[in-house]
Amino acid sequence: MFFDSHAHLDDIKFEEDRDVLIRGLLNRGVACVINPGDTIESSRAAIELAKSYPHIYAAVGIHPHNVESMLDSHIEELEQMASYEKVVAIGEIGLDYYYDNSPRDVQKRRFVDQIELASRVGLPIIVHNRDAHADTLDIIVENIDKIPGGVMHCFSGSVEMMREFLELGFYISLGGPVTFKNAKRPIEVAREVPLDRLLIETDSPYLTPHPFRGRRNDPGYVPLVAQKIAEIRGIPVEEVAMVTFQNTLNLFNIKYERDGSSMDTFVYVLGDALYINLTNRCTNRCDFCIRNENAGVGGYNLWLEREPTAQEVIDLIGDASRYSEVIFCGYGEPTIKLDELIEIAKAVKAQGGKTRINTNGQANLYHGENIAPRFEGIIDTVSISLNAPTKEEYQKLCRSEYGEDAFCGMLEFAKACREYVPNVVLSVVDILPPDKIEASKRIAEDLGVGFRVRKFVEKQDMA
Ligand code: SF4
């Protein structure tokens, strides 16, 4: 399922078939849409759509094209609208020096006014920036303490510009232009943007993705954007769908309730062990990852529409002592969901269960600190996928976001875990040549941790 984080369904171009189109989105794989406003009237219309359809959310704001006629009283009106529970952002707001439909000094003043509004109502901002990078950045930097998060919508800048916005805590949203035949910058951005800061959108009715360019755009085309990003990054489209869905929920603080048809597998039994599937996110792109080919293991579909809460998993586990082990594994890197993992592990230990984490060992790199002390007393085994005996071979095989630093970071993590976890194991898959397996074994011995050669066919050993 996909989340279109930006579509103007209130636009006149949807006048004739809006209801049919919106009702049909679920069948096209699109579960949710955010409809931003660009005038007072369209902000009102966005709210009406959010009231009419459970899977539509609204943002309210005045687009830079329209700020010349904006009145101070409009800020009060927007503030009142923002109190409606399904208004999830202030937007779209920002600067547009390409069309210059409003004088630039007015654009800047009204951008700041609407940032201050976002600050007062505690909502993130949806930013439009066209040919106005320097001023957009300056205004955001000057007001960063007031801004409760935000997204650079339909981002068209360079990778360097993207990094400036990422450093300010912003998300980056990509739309149809990433699919265009002449696309350059969006492709570079799609390759470089950290997955946990990526959103997808259509900006409907504009910017229709290839191969439908020229037609009216609508949210049902957002899977094409995800598909292109998946191709660029060499990852499954399901992962792009899941990660961007979750990122959108996180940024806009949306509590998405699954309907009865959703079949997310948060826990599953293999043999006499219980496996926990906390996330589909991962900092690696291993060549041998089962996710490249399959939807899951043992008949379970492990792609998630959303990530579970700790309490949901605890409820599903029930009596943990029934299982030989409770294993944090799943279809992604479980330590990315560290707080949930710790809470669940505590609950399992309180029932006398045994716990194991199957991990790629990059948790300290991901969290920017040594997280191993948090395992003390609640994790019995940490099984780290060494996969290769050198940093170069590891990176070639596992394609970590951290480059060749991933290998050393993983070994440091193994060392750190040794102090807090009774059983730490490094593992390799049996497709490695025997001399590489031997070299890997020596690394484990030097670190004073266990070593295991796992069969490639043991599909449950993801990480
Ligand atoms: S095998 Fe494990 S570490 Fe590698 S990409 Fe898959 S989930 Fe991530």
Side-chain angles (χ1 to χ4, degrees), residues 387-398 432 436:
N387 289 334
T390 67
K391 62 182 181 184
E392 294 83 7
E393 289 165 292
Y394 180 86
Q395 183 57 12
K396 198 164 169 227
L397 193 63
C398 297
L432 270 191
K436 308 279 184 206

Side-chain angles (χ1 to χ4, degrees), residues 239 280-292 329-334 358-362 385 387 394 397-398 454 461-463:
E239 185 173 1
N280 292 153
R281 290 183 278 165
C282 187
T283 49
N284 275 2
R285 303 281 160 248
C286 301
D287 278 349
F288 55 84
C289 183
I290 187 177
R291 302 183 310 167
N292 301 335
C329 176
Y331 235 41
E333 170 50 43
N358 288 355
T359 173
N360 64 19
Q362 292 167 26
S385 296
N387 289 334
Y394 180 86
L397 193 63
C398 297
R454 62 186 200 274
D461 286 321
M462 290 290 305

Side-chain angles (χ1 to χ4, degrees), residues 195 198 200 226 229-230 235-245:
L195 266 188
L198 174 67
I200 52 174
I229 295 169
I235 61 176
V237 67
E238 292 88 345
E239 185 173 1
V240 176
M242 185 269 150
V243 168
T244 54
F245 202 110

Side-chain angles (χ1 to χ4, degrees), residues 29-330:
V30 181
C32 297
V33 179
I34 294 174
N35 191 122
D38 52 24
T39 60
I40 284 288
E41 294 71 29
S42 87
S43 297
R44 273 197 209 104
I47 291 177
E48 287 311 309
L49 288 175
K51 284 180 177 168
S52 303
Y53 303 96
H55 53 309
I56 306 284
Y57 297 85
V60 295
I62 300 187
H63 192 285
H65 286 343
N66 306 318
V67 290
E68 188 170 15
S69 56
M70 183 174 168
L71 306 172
D72 287 342
S73 62
H74 288 158
I75 290 285
E76 287 164 33
E77 281 188 62
L78 291 172
E79 190 159 349
Q80 279 172 5
M81 290 184 209
S83 64
Y84 175 55
E85 58 179 344
K86 286 183 77 188
V87 172
V88 296
I90 299 300
E92 78 182 82
I93 60 175
L95 304 176
D96 192 313
Y97 294 172
Y98 180 79
Y99 287 108
D100 273 332
N101 283 352
S102 300
R104 293 186 180 184
D105 59 328
V106 178
Q107 290 192 42
K108 286 193 262 189
R109 184 159 54 84
R110 291 308 189 183
F111 186 23
V112 174
D113 285 348
Q114 295 186 85
I115 286 174
E116 287 172 351
L117 165 64
S119 174
R120 284 198 298 282
V121 298
L123 291 176
I125 57 176
I126 298 172
V127 179
H128 173 105
N129 163 25
R130 188 148 184 209
D131 289 0
H133 175 70
D135 282 352
T136 304
L137 188 64
D138 282 352
I139 288 174
I140 288 177
V141 168
E142 278 164 24
N143 292 279
I144 193 64
D145 292 343
K146 300 178 197 161
I147 297 175
V151 56
M152 302 307 298
H153 121 78
C154 206
F155 187 72
S156 58
S158 64
V159 167
E160 290 69 33
M161 291 176 193
M162 171 193 82
R163 292 204 174 106
E164 291 175 312
F165 289 114
L166 288 174
E167 272 178 30
L168 292 163
F170 271 69
Y171 286 73
I172 301 294
S173 181
L174 292 175
V178 77
T179 69
F180 294 172
K181 284 188 173 155
N182 58 353
K184 281 201 181 107
R185 280 174 156 192
I187 287 179
E188 287 164 10
V189 168
R191 191 176 294 122
E192 298 296 325
V193 61
L195 266 188
D196 61 0
R197 295 287 199 87
L198 174 67
L199 306 188
I200 52 174
E201 64 172 87
T202 57
D203 201 14
S204 306
Y206 317 105
L207 299 174
T208 314
H210 175 79
F212 301 110
R213 218 175 156 183
R215 289 192 201 174
R216 182 190 70 177
N217 200 2
D218 74 63
Y221 291 125
V222 82
L224 295 172
V225 175
Q227 181 64 50
K228 183 67 184 181
I229 295 169
E231 278 169 36
I232 293 166
R233 297 183 75 108
I235 61 176
V237 67
E238 292 88 345
E239 185 173 1
V240 176
M242 185 269 150
V243 168
T244 54
F245 202 110
Q246 188 65 41
N247 291 345
T248 313
L249 298 184
N250 292 347
L251 171 61
F252 296 107
N253 198 21
I254 294 172
K255 307 278 178 270
Y256 173 65
E257 294 295 331
R258 290 181 301 159
D259 65 21
S261 64
S262 178
M263 297 291 283
D264 278 340
T265 306
F266 299 143
V267 304
Y268 55 101
V269 178
L270 289 172
D272 53 6
L274 184 76
Y275 287 76
I276 311 289
N277 186 22
L278 286 179
T279 182
N280 292 153
R281 290 183 278 165
C282 187
T283 49
N284 275 2
R285 303 281 160 248
C286 301
D287 278 349
F288 55 84
C289 183
I290 187 177
R291 302 183 310 167
N292 301 335
E293 307 288 340
N294 297 298
V297 295
Y300 300 103
N301 184 335
L302 298 181
W303 287 114
L304 299 174
E305 281 181 24
R306 67 174 179 94
E307 295 170 341
T309 64
Q311 192 56 50
E312 279 176 311
V313 174
I314 291 166
D315 291 345
L316 287 166
I317 292 172
D319 178 7
S321 64
R322 286 179 296 165
Y323 305 102
S324 61
E325 269 184 308
V326 173
I327 302 171
F328 296 91
C329 176

